[in-house]
Amino acid sequence: MCGICGKINENSLCKKCENILKKYIRIQHEEIQNKNYNELISFFNYNGIIRNNILNYKFKEKPFLAKTFVKFLSKQEKAFEIIKTYDKIVPVPISKKRFKERGYNQSQLISKEISKYTNIEIAEKCLYKTKNIIEQSKLNKEERIKNVQGVYELKNMQILKRKKILLIDDIYTTGSTVNECCKTLSEAKPEKIGVLVLAVTNEGNKE
């Protein structure tokens, strides 16, 4: 089934919808200063059908969209060559309560699909979210920063020591969530930390 239009398709994405998604591609790869990570990779403009489907994926019980997104993105060879320089993938974790409510971690599903195309191991038992906090989407920039402080915990850090770590999330708005995650990941003394997201919002572009 095509994740976008719902028509039967064995590849998770029909040709018509693939051509529509191509209009939203805006690959960004930039080095980051004064953050807890070294570079940011993103794929889409966050508007129109992309915005609607990312929100559906995250909040409307459509986990199958992870396959659709990554199936499409796997054809972006230059971006995937950058991804393949990393040693470990770490999905942004959600709390146990949020996982129970949603039934899945959207960042984890994206990570698993990217792992299939790159053969990079997912370090799933390293980064944990210890508190169920207010959803970041309901807060402004300053509130987001405070909201995520001290809510992540690192375990099995030897798995990440001296490794190139790629943290994966769905949307980048102010960057407060990924920055706090990377702050925690830095305790493992990795060689490098990068962040990969599906899309950067307009607010994220202003930062």
Side-chain angles (χ1 to χ4, degrees), residues 46-57 60 65:
Y46 187 68
N47 53 42
I49 194 171
I50 293 299
R51 181 180 183 277
N52 292 340
N53 278 280
I54 289 178
L55 292 176
N56 285 340
Y57 171 56
K60 300 292 186 181
L65 279 168

Side-chain angles (χ1 to χ4, degrees), residues 84 86-87 89 113-122:
K84 289 176 182 177
Y86 285 87
D87 304 311
I89 289 173
E113 291 303 315
I114 289 178
S115 178
K116 289 178 184 178
Y117 287 96
T118 60
N119 294 315
I120 302 172
E121 182 182 3
I122 303 174

